[in-house]
Amino acid sequence: MIKCVKDSLASPLTNIINNCIDNLVFPDQWKVARICPILKTDQPQTTADYRPISVLPVLSKVYEKVILQHMTKFVENELVYHSTYQSGFRKNHSTVTLLIKLRDDIKKAMKKGEVTIAVFADYSKAFDTIDFYTLIQKMHSLNFSKNFLYLILNYLSNRKHFVQINTNFSKHLISNFGVPQGSILGPVLFNLCVADMHSVLPDQTSCLQNADDSTIYEHCYVKNIDNSTSNITKNLDNLLS
């Protein structure tokens, strides 16, 4: 329906979004998510067998795309992501580019007579567990402007959600952490939250990331495999702390 009236809607919507940007706000009406539980298994037994997908107001995604354009431009100009570390939700990057990097590193190690020790990690409830304070702190350390941080904080704050199953609706609850799955900004905000992961690791340990999937690995000669295994374990402990 919006596309049918886009010519009439474009001007007032542009005015609304420009005013929101000037005042560093994200409208509260656009921060209400309708949660639809999507089955992850054929025979669900617990709530963990459902994936909570947020259905957001359509116009909110238009505003999010505007914010994303500015954010992406800043991230690319400031080289926030190391070119070989983060592959998720980036233009010209994918799981393929990550796997090619991993394959090439393993092949180079094999030519030197080395073996590769790797740990494949997957965040549990990744988007749902983002802490707003930690995210803003990290974005501040990445030199995002004060005004932009205020806008993102407003976008994250006072978000509400309710669950719909068939014709049944729950009451509205405030989301005190996490970004809604199904949002435009959510994946990029998560990337920024974990962008510094590689900096915690020593030079001999590599870290490849694709959204909430991470691969930590290093190469060594067979005689040193015990030391490398111990190093990987210590690195994982450092990441957890």
Side-chain angles (χ1 to χ4, degrees), residues 154-238:
N154 188 273
Y155 166 78
L156 294 171
S157 303
N158 199 36
R159 298 198 71 91
K160 296 180 181 180
H161 64 272
F162 65 95
V163 179
Q164 178 183 3
I165 299 178
N166 297 325
T167 58
N168 299 313
F169 299 85
S170 70
K171 64 179 181 179
H172 287 206
L173 296 175
I174 294 179
S175 303
N176 294 316
F177 51 84
V179 292
Q181 294 193 43
S183 64
I184 302 296
L185 292 176
V188 181
L189 292 176
F190 178 82
N191 275 357
L192 294 174
C193 197
V194 297
D196 60 346
M197 180 182 290
H198 66 276
S199 64
V200 182
L201 302 172
D203 293 337
Q204 72 269 20
T205 302
S206 299
C207 176
L208 300 179
Q209 298 168 261
N210 185 65
D212 57 349
D213 294 313
S214 301
T215 303
I216 303 169
Y217 62 99
E218 64 177 66
H219 315 292
C220 67
Y221 293 106
V222 175
K223 63 181 180 181
N224 298 325
I225 195 168
D226 288 339
N227 289 335
S228 291
T229 302
S230 178
N231 287 338
I232 288 287
T233 301
K234 290 179 181 177
N235 293 332
L236 289 173
D237 291 338
N238 290 336

Side-chain angles (χ1 to χ4, degrees), residues 89-150:
F89 309 112
R90 293 181 63 192
K91 187 178 180 179
N92 299 324
H93 290 74
S94 66
T95 53
V96 175
T97 56
L98 184 148
L99 290 172
I100 289 175
K101 166 65 175 172
L102 179 60
R103 183 204 63 180
D104 289 348
D105 285 353
I106 293 175
K107 289 180 69 174
K108 289 178 183 178
M110 290 174 65
K111 291 180 179 179
K112 298 178 183 179
E114 295 177 329
V115 296
T116 300
I117 300 175
V119 175
F120 300 89
D122 181 11
Y123 291 97
S124 177
K125 305 293 183 182
F127 288 12
D128 300 332
T129 55
I130 290 181
D131 179 77
F132 300 159
Y133 179 75
T134 301
L135 173 60
I136 296 298
Q137 272 191 321
K138 291 191 174 185
M139 291 181 67
H140 179 266
S141 67
L142 294 172
N143 297 319
F144 280 90
S145 69
K146 182 178 180 181
N147 284 346
F148 192 81
L149 293 179
Y150 273 123

Side-chain angles (χ1 to χ4, degrees), residues 39-85:
L39 284 173
K40 294 194 291 186
T41 62
D42 293 333
Q43 296 180 339
Q45 301 294 326
T46 66
T47 54
D49 295 326
Y50 294 86
R51 179 177 287 106
I53 300 299
S54 299
V55 180
L56 299 167
V58 175
L59 295 182
S60 74
K61 293 192 175 185
V62 177
Y63 188 12
E64 286 190 56
K65 284 186 177 181
V66 174
I67 298 174
L68 179 63
Q69 289 177 353
H70 292 281
M71 183 184 294
T72 301
K73 184 177 180 180
F74 176 84
V75 167
E76 296 299 332
N77 289 343
E78 297 296 321
L79 301 177
V80 171
Y81 302 138
H82 190 288
S83 60
T84 59
Y85 288 146

Side-chain angles (χ1 to χ4, degrees), residues 16-25 63 66-67 70 151:
I16 291 172
I17 291 178
N18 285 338
N19 274 282
C20 288
I21 293 175
D22 290 339
N23 291 283
L24 307 177
V25 298
Y63 188 12
V66 174
I67 298 174
H70 292 281
L151 177 58

